[in-house]
């Protein structure tokens, strides 16, 4: 059974840093691209970042480019999101999600974690 | 302001058919496939449709998707109370970004 378990969320001051983790179970992690998607309070879903499987090509939303870094450790079946220079508008529930194998689109996300809440506030 | 445009709300009575539209541009919907998600508050989003019109295993055939040019639609037939949720379209953009619609809140009257 595929499971994605996020951790690392919490309260952080503006300008601070946080690293999110997503532990993956039940599939060949190294073969699958992964994404982070967030939802701010009262807002819709927003794609944040994606990383390809074995090669590790990375992609970022303009809103986080230069501040966030996506990475993966295929030996630990874990996805990461390093978030620096955090702003109040980064406050959101962050989900990790696995790309489906049936299509090439990075937005074909067939399994999602339950999310971890990041609150940026002084 | 989301890159993909959806109506903020939709509604229908049990048994009815409802459609939700998603409008984009040549760089996203026009040249890439569309995916649809169902999201209930406090839960993980669920993939309903991928590659414009394909249903993952386990998704009822009451849900269908279509795409034409730079627009896409999600149709739900035989509306049920449990379909009340937020629905999002999503697509890759040629600028190497992922884009979501703003979401449509579906109310079953």
């Amino acid at each position: 059974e595929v499971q994605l378990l996020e951790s690392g969320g919490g309260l952080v001051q503006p300008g601070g840093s946080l690293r999110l983790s997503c532990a993956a179970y039940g599939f060949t992690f190294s073969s699958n691209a992964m994404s982070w998607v967030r939802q701010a309070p009262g807002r819709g879903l927003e794609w944040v970042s994606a990383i390809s499987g074995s090669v590790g090509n990375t992609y970022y939303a303009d809103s986080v480019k230069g501040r966030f870094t996506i990475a993966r450790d295929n030996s630990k079946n874990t996805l990461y999101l390093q978030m620096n220079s955090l702003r109040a508008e980064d406050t959101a529930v962050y989900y990790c999600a696995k790309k489906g194998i049936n299509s090439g689109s990075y937005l074909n996300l067939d399994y999602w974690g339950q999310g971890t809440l990041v609150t940026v506030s002084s | 302001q989301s890159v993909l445009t959806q109506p903020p709300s939709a509604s229908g009575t049990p048994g009815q058919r409802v459609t939700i539209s998603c409008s984009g541009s040549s760089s996203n919907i026009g040249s890439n496939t569309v995916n649809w998600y169902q999201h209930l508050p406090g839960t993980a989003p669920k993939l309903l449709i991928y590659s414009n019109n394909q249903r993952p295993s386990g998704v009822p055939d009451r849900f269908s998707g279509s795409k034409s040019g730079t627009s896409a639609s999600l149709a739900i037939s035989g509306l049920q109370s449990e379909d009340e949720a937020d629905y999002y379209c999503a697509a890759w953009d040629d600028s190497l970004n992922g884009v979501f619609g703003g979401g449509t809140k579906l109310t079953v009257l």
Side-chain angles (χ1 to χ4, degrees), chain B residues 1 29 40 53 73 85 91 99 106:
Chain B
Q1 191 82 355
I29 293 179
L40 292 159
N53 56 18
S73 291
V99 290
L106 175 64

Side-chain angles (χ1 to χ4, degrees), chain A residues 39 44 47 60 103 107-109 113, chain B residues 37 39 44 47 51 88 97-98:
Chain A
Q39 184 177 35
W47 175 81
Y60 298 95
S103 118
L107 269 294
N108 169 17
L109 301 168
Chain B
Y37 295 91
H39 191 205
L47 179 66
S51 295
Y88 295 88
N97 275 332

Side-chain angles (χ1 to χ4, degrees), chain B residues 34-50:
Chain B
V34 178
N35 310 277
W36 288 91
Y37 295 91
Q38 179 189 61
H39 191 205
L40 292 159
T43 69
K46 175 185 177 181
L47 179 66
L48 282 180
I49 298 288
Y50 67 94

Side-chain angles (χ1 to χ4, degrees), chain A residues 16-20 67-68 81-86 94 118:
Chain A
S17 298
L18 211 56
R19 188 178 81 156
L20 305 183
R67 301 187 299 123
F68 289 12
L81 186 67
Q82 177 67 44
M83 304 185 295
N84 299 330
S85 303
L86 282 162
Y94 285 73
V118 172

Side-chain angles (χ1 to χ4, degrees), chain A residues 3-100:
Chain A
Q3 281 192 313
L4 298 170
L5 299 176
E6 302 100 335
S7 60
L11 175 63
V12 61
Q13 291 189 336
S17 298
L18 211 56
R19 188 178 81 156
L20 305 183
S21 299
C22 172
Y25 304 92
F27 64 100
T28 307
F29 181 72
S30 59
S31 300
N32 288 267
M34 302 290 294
S35 281
W36 289 98
V37 176
R38 67 185 180 184
Q39 184 177 35
R43 305 288 296 272
L45 299 175
E46 179 189 15
W47 175 81
V48 173
S49 183
I51 186 168
S52 64
S54 53
V55 177
N57 294 325
T58 59
Y59 309 92
Y60 298 95
D62 290 343
S63 58
V64 306
K65 200 171 294 182
R67 301 187 299 123
F68 289 12
T69 302
I70 190 171
R72 63 192 301 155
D73 186 336
N74 289 336
S75 69
K76 295 182 178 179
N77 288 352
T78 302
L79 176 72
Y80 302 100
L81 186 67
Q82 177 67 44
M83 304 185 295
N84 299 330
S85 303
L86 282 162
R87 307 166 180 167
E89 54 265 35
D90 295 318
T91 294
V93 174
Y94 285 73
Y95 298 96
C96 72
K98 166 189 166 294
K99 176 185 167 300

Side-chain angles (χ1 to χ4, degrees), chain B residues 14-83:
Chain B
Q16 266 191 329
R17 182 178 187 269
V18 297
T19 61
I20 297 171
S21 62
C22 175
S23 178
S25 68
S26 58
S27 67
N28 41 66
I29 293 179
S31 53
N32 295 284
T33 59
V34 178
N35 310 277
W36 288 91
Y37 295 91
Q38 179 189 61
H39 191 205
L40 292 159
T43 69
K46 175 185 177 181
L47 179 66
L48 282 180
I49 298 288
Y50 67 94
S51 295
N52 305 326
N53 56 18
Q54 302 298 302
R55 281 186 309 276
S57 173
V59 173
D61 59 6
R62 302 187 297 106
F63 295 90
S64 62
S66 64
K67 179 183 123 171
S68 178
T70 59
S71 294
S73 291
L74 173 72
I76 309 172
S77 60
L79 198 62
Q80 300 179 4
S81 58
E82 55 260 40
D83 298 333

